Amino acid sequence: MKRALPILAVLAVLLAAIAIVNPFFLEPAGFLSFVRRAAPLVILAAGQYLVIVAGEFDLSVGSLVTVEVVVAARLIDGDEAATWAVLALLIVLGLFVGLVNGAVTTLLRVPSFITTLGMMLVLSGAVFLWTGGAPRGALSQAFRMFGRQTGWAVLILVVVAVAVVLLMRANFGRTLIAIGDNERAAALSGVRVTRVRIIAFALSGVSAAVAGILLGGFAGVSAQVGQGLEFQAITAVVLGGVVLGGGRGTVIAAMAGAFTLEALFTLLNLYGVSGALKFTVQGVVLIAAVAAGAIRLPFLDAPKLKGDAHAVS
Amino acid sequence: MLTMTGIGKSFFGVRVLSGVDLAVVPGEVHAIVGENGAGKSTLMKILAGVHAHDEGTIEIDGRRVSFGHPLDAQRAGVAIIYQEFNLLPERTVSENVFLGREPIRRGLVDRTAMDTATARLLAELGEASFGPRRLVKRLSVAQQQVVEIVKALSLDARIVVMDEPTAALAEHEVELLYRLVRRLQERGIAVLYISHRLREVFDLSDHVTVIKDGRLVTTVATEDVTSEDLVRLMVGRDLNGYFPPRSTSVGETRLQVTGGGNDRLHDIDLKLNAGEIVGIAGLQGSGRSELAKALFGADPFTRGEMTPVRPRSVREGIRAGVGLVTEDRKSEGLALRQSVRDNALLVTRAMGRGARRSGVRELLERVRLKPPREEQEVRYLSGGNQQKVVLAKWMTVAPKVLLFDEPTRGVDVGAKAAIHDLMRELAEDGVAIMMISSELPELIGMSDRIVVLREGRIAGTLPSGSAEEAIMSLAAGEVSS
């Protein structure tokens, strides 16, 4: 929890700044609408965290979100009755893509950066081929409810957040971090390194499916809906102080990082800064966050134990 | 030509060398011997400019030198050939020889000049089995060693340090190395030859310097000593360490292997019994760690019988009740950035057993971790405390067999005694213990019997309380010369 403090402080400052410009933000409806807007990114960040903390990347989540939305629209095509079956199918699709990412990375030993970059291109191409650039079909009312109605979106977010926090406290989460920290030591302690890694990728795929379901309802159907989300998710995780390369950082901080990024975008919007600057801001935040992490290490993380003079890591 | 006087060096407040003198004349082969960890390699790294010395002076040809960087040493005519070669496998022999100082002609690298110069040096060394254009990855280990020597010659080195040059060589290649060393000698080059193998020392060297515990024991003319003398000089010291009393009762057999083998080990017959501590001795590269990894299932045996099971994986080993305290805590034993608690619970969690957070505190007290802070990241702990955490990690699964690979390396005296006590306690509780150690007093003080390995085979088994000389003879296998 201690490590989540800096990002929580930053988040609090940004939220306060938003509230000053826009007092409506302080009312429950205003605040919850912000939470709903942030929900897809927070869920993606939670999924991305699982992969990053094990020392990997998942660059495919953005195009996976697009695929999820486009597929949903095409299959449902306005038919309310199809909603639940399609929802289940979407989760399975996310799981499957994640499993493929994980299997290729671990079993074929392709670095995850390349695996998921390839998967991103494969999925983007597939969407383009399938839609010809203009997605067809329409989502059902029931489907759109999840992303549109604040209550549902917030509920799903809370469920995901609680689940992933519990997961990180369970055997799976602790061994996952141990792998990211020292794969060899984990393996020699009996950790099933390959299996745990594949599950992390699979869960990242599922998180993209859930984020896609929320975004479909919220933003509507387009072939660009997921564009750039993978980088937003990675930025959010890094902003939360999670170290690239693995082994360090909490999922709560990663999710707080996603809220912070969303708050920053909201604030820029309120101040009338051009939306075109969004990528630039994100880039600056990403580099600054990593630099801050790198600079911080030697100073703030120094041992607090004076008596332990042998401490050398 | 080279005089080192009063050399001292500390790492992180731990003294590894003090007051070492060394004098070398042109054309001599000067052997440096000592046990593992005696400080031979550190001394040579100081000479090569890898480490700066804290005390003492180095003079070359009467001029005082100070090396802040390996390049300084290189310019002064010192070349070092490590056990692990620093060659680029995808480049040719001559490209490696001239790496970073390629001759330039009209703005381009002059390959012809490089190849000619390399070919000349190869010929001078009598090496005809490969040419300058061969890719290094296509060379044998012995041939790569030749490349390293050629590189040293092309740098006009006058002092060549060879660190365990025969460690990676096959028997017939050793003869070739001897020839090379003699050629260097004929050219007036001084060779500093580090080796455990006494036969080589007697075959090659003019003088021997013995180092023990970071201090100079003596420098003698090789012809004036026998191998028995040398062994005594290397190991002879007071057994002033404290060791817990030995067990009196040996219980049932916990683990037995018959005819065990893989690509590094052959014909291993070993029995580990409850209540007993079996020490494993051997030189570096004799297969000690490999034995532990094979018994544990990390690098499994491919041949032989083993009871209760011959583990094919780490998980099978753990399920059969075997735990391994690895030689290198930092790279193999601990997740350094995780808390003491997370590390202690890693094995139980990995095996999917209920991790009892409540029990961690007791466990840390049992292994005498002081202070027993569960939240502390293990990288901030001392070596001794880190080792206790590794031990705690295994105790969570109540192992029947615990394999210790250099359990007290890099551990201070107090923690060392605590770890020894713990090992004996575990043995009393019915755990079968195997302990690999390069430190002979530790082996002798702790073990109920000592198994000596040599070149992947069991060279012999000695009873508790055997003399260091007896162990060294078996391990080196050549005192009878």
Side-chain angles (χ1 to χ4, degrees):
Chain A
M1 217 25 336
K2 253 186 302 179
R3 289 204 207 97
L5 281 179
I7 189 64
L8 289 175
V10 173
L11 179 59
V13 170
L14 284 176
L15 293 181
I18 295 174
I20 290 166
V21 185
N22 179 13
F24 172 64
F25 193 70
L26 289 176
E27 293 174 27
F31 183 73
L32 286 178
S33 130
F34 165 76
V35 173
R36 182 194 62 179
R37 243 191 350 263
L41 184 58
V42 175
I43 291 169
L44 277 179
Q48 189 72 236
Y49 165 82
L50 298 177
V51 177
I52 287 183
V53 86
E56 307 284 350
F57 289 97
D58 189 350
L59 297 176
S60 68
V61 290
S63 33
L64 182 53
V65 165
T66 307
V67 166
E68 297 280 348
V69 173
V70 170
V71 166
R74 181 84 173 251
L75 292 183
I76 293 178
D77 203 13
D79 178 7
E80 296 292 330
T83 307
W84 294 99
V86 170
L87 280 175
L89 185 78
L90 294 182
I91 300 290
V92 171
L93 177 64
L95 186 71
F96 175 74
V97 170
L99 283 175
V100 171
N101 280 335
V104 171
T105 301
T106 54
L107 301 177
L108 302 183
R109 294 173 197 273
V110 178
S112 60
F113 188 85
I114 298 300
T115 309
T116 57
L117 184 69
M119 182 60 82
M120 172 172 107
L121 295 173
V122 167
L123 293 176
S124 304
V127 165
F128 195 76
L129 186 71
W130 208 42
T131 62
R136 277 165 291 169
L139 297 171
S140 60
Q141 284 305 314
F143 188 99
R144 305 194 66 176
M145 175 180 77
F146 295 112
R148 267 204 184 157
Q149 287 188 4
T150 306
W152 272 109
V154 173
L155 180 67
I156 290 172
L157 175 62
V158 169
V159 169
V160 169
V162 169
V164 76
V165 167
L166 291 180
L167 186 68
M168 287 314 292
R169 297 200 172 169
N171 285 354
F172 170 82
R174 305 326 295 168
T175 49
L176 182 72
I177 297 188
I179 289 172
D181 189 347
N182 189 341
E183 183 178 340
R184 178 111 184 106
L188 286 174
S189 298
V191 175
R192 279 180 281 216
V193 174
T194 303
R195 181 154 115 171
V196 172
R197 276 225 168 99
I198 291 178
I199 293 174
F201 277 103
L203 291 175
S204 175
V206 171
S207 82
V210 175
I213 291 165
L214 291 183
L215 269 175
F218 178 64
V221 181
S222 83
Q224 283 80 42
V225 61
Q227 215 170 50
L229 277 182
E230 63 283 330
F231 289 112
Q232 282 190 29
I234 292 172
T235 308
V237 171
V238 169
L239 195 55
V242 180
V243 173
L244 296 179
R248 180 153 219 156
T250 67
V251 70
I252 292 176
M255 291 189 289
F259 272 114
T260 307
L261 200 59
E262 195 62 41
L264 191 61
F265 292 150
T266 305
L267 197 63
L268 291 173
N269 200 20
L270 281 174
Y271 276 102
V273 177
S274 162
L277 269 179
K278 197 170 165 180
F279 284 119
T280 311
V281 169
Q282 204 186 310
V284 171
V285 168
L286 181 62
I287 295 172
V290 173
I295 293 168
R296 195 190 62 184
L297 284 172
F299 299 101
L300 290 189
D301 290 354
K304 284 155 203 109
L305 236 185
K306 285 240 171 66
D308 208 323
H310 302 282
V312 178
S313 72
Chain B
M1 80 198 286
L2 168 72
T3 316
M4 296 173 89
T5 319
I7 301 294
K9 174 75 187 170
S10 301
F11 288 114
F12 311 114
V14 179
R15 215 166 169 74
V16 292
L17 275 183
S18 85
V20 176
D21 302 330
L22 183 68
V24 181
V25 299
E28 88 162 320
V29 175
H30 196 122
I32 298 178
V33 298
E35 292 179 286
N36 296 342
K40 297 167 296 192
S41 292
T42 308
L43 181 66
M44 290 305 109
K45 282 183 178 164
I46 287 170
L47 178 60
V50 177
H51 298 315
H53 53 289
D54 304 334
E55 295 159 14
T57 56
I58 305 176
E59 283 177 20
I60 290 181
D61 295 335
R63 260 186 312 132
R64 188 157 167 186
V65 292
S66 171
F67 302 144
H69 191 275
L71 275 177
D72 296 340
Q74 206 176 79
R75 282 192 204 103
V78 179
I80 183 162
I81 297 168
Y82 294 101
Q83 291 173 43
E84 306 289 328
F85 302 140
N86 293 314
L87 296 175
L88 306 178
E90 298 289 343
R91 304 277 94 196
T92 65
V93 170
S94 57
E95 281 168 335
N96 268 286
V97 168
F98 284 95
L99 189 68
R101 49 194 184 91
E102 292 83 356
I104 304 292
R105 196 161 144 251
R106 286 191 233 119
L108 295 173
V109 173
D110 189 349
R111 292 177 160 278
T112 323
M114 264 163 56
D115 290 346
T116 317
T118 306
R120 185 172 51 78
L121 289 170
L122 283 172
E124 283 176 30
L125 289 174
E127 178 59 63
S129 65
F130 65 93
R133 313 288 308 246
R134 183 83 64 94
L135 290 185
V136 162
K137 68 174 175 190
R138 306 222 183 282
L139 299 178
S140 69
V141 175
Q143 289 171 324
Q144 292 186 22
Q145 205 163 43
V146 175
V147 177
E148 285 279 9
I149 292 170
V150 167
K151 192 171 169 179
L153 290 179
S154 82
L155 285 161
D156 290 324
R158 289 170 308 135
I159 301 164
V160 173
V161 181
M162 303 178 111
D163 191 1
E164 296 282 348
T166 55
L169 296 185
E171 193 61 35
H172 65 276
E173 294 169 329
V174 173
E175 277 303 317
L176 296 174
L177 179 78
Y178 282 10
R179 274 212 332 254
L180 283 174
V181 171
R182 296 206 176 95
R183 297 242 177 182
L184 293 179
Q185 209 175 353
E186 285 160 17
R187 294 170 71 111
I189 291 171
V191 177
L192 281 164
Y193 192 94
I194 302 178
S195 183
H196 288 297
R197 305 191 186 183
L198 298 185
R199 197 181 68 202
E200 292 163 20
V201 171
F202 284 99
D203 285 350
L204 282 174
S205 71
D206 306 307
H207 287 92
V208 198
T209 290
V210 183
I211 295 179
K212 189 182 71 188
D213 300 336
R215 289 169 183 281
L216 175 74
V217 176
T218 186
T219 297
V220 290
T222 311
E223 56 191 18
D224 295 344
V225 288
T226 64
S227 63
E228 286 82 359
D229 294 338
L230 270 191
V231 168
R232 202 170 309 120
L233 288 168
M234 279 160 70
V235 299
R237 77 186 115 181
D238 301 335
L239 281 178
N240 55 3
Y242 155 77
F243 294 102
R246 255 174 257 280
S247 73
T248 43
S249 63
V250 172
E252 58 184 285
T253 300
R254 294 284 193 200
L255 182 150
Q256 181 168 14
V257 55
T258 319
N262 57 23
D263 53 352
R264 301 291 302 275
L265 298 166
H266 312 279
D267 308 324
I268 300 293
D269 295 328
L270 185 67
K271 204 192 258 187
L272 301 178
N273 303 318
E276 199 187 19
I277 296 179
V278 175
I280 303 288
L283 301 176
Q284 266 171 30
S286 60
R288 296 173 305 178
S289 298
E290 287 78 3
L291 174 63
K293 294 237 161 85
L295 294 172
F296 179 55
D299 295 315
F301 282 125
T302 50
R303 300 185 296 274
E305 302 287 319
M306 198 167 151
T307 51
V309 291
R310 193 174 89 194
R312 285 163 301 175
S313 70
V314 169
R315 291 179 68 83
E316 281 190 11
I318 295 174
R319 253 185 252 120
V322 184
L324 170 66
V325 177
T326 51
E327 177 177 15
D328 189 337
R329 285 186 291 279
K330 284 174 179 146
S331 75
E332 299 196 315
L334 293 166
L336 287 172
R337 294 190 291 196
Q338 309 310 314
S339 67
V340 166
R341 180 199 295 133
D342 281 340
N343 272 285
L345 291 175
L346 188 53
V347 178
T348 19
R349 281 171 169 157
M351 299 310 289
R353 302 192 191 159
R356 298 162 300 122
R357 281 173 71 141
S358 55
V360 173
R361 192 170 181 88
E362 283 170 35
L363 198 59
L364 297 179
E365 275 164 14
R366 170 108 201 264
V367 300
R368 303 164 174 78
L369 183 75
K370 286 170 199 158
R373 290 195 202 187
E374 298 177 39
E375 305 288 343
Q376 181 90 356
E377 286 181 33
V378 291
R379 62 179 164 148
Y380 297 136
L381 301 179
S382 65
N385 275 336
Q386 286 183 347
Q387 194 67 301
K388 292 174 189 171
V389 175
V390 176
L391 210 47
K393 177 175 91 168
W394 287 112
M395 285 166 68
T396 56
V397 287
K400 295 191 178 72
V401 179
L402 261 182
L403 314 169
F404 290 84
D405 196 351
E406 303 286 356
T408 60
R409 177 175 288 178
V411 162
D412 59 281
V413 182
K416 205 167 178 172
I419 290 168
H420 286 155
D421 281 342
L422 265 167
M423 289 170 72
R424 192 44 85 182
E425 252 178 64
L426 285 165
E428 294 292 324
D429 289 351
V431 180
I433 289 182
M434 183 181 105
M435 179 185 73
I436 296 168
S437 178
S438 303
E439 230 183 279
L440 293 179
E442 180 179 47
L443 269 182
I444 292 165
M446 289 295 295
S447 311
D448 297 313
R449 72 195 141 94
I450 298 171
V451 173
V452 184
L453 291 183
R454 187 173 70 227
E455 289 162 14
R457 292 170 194 278
I458 293 179
T461 303
L462 297 166
S464 71
S466 297
E468 300 195 11
E469 287 80 357
I471 299 171
M472 282 299 282
S473 312
L474 264 182
E478 40 225 2
V479 175
S480 55
S481 64

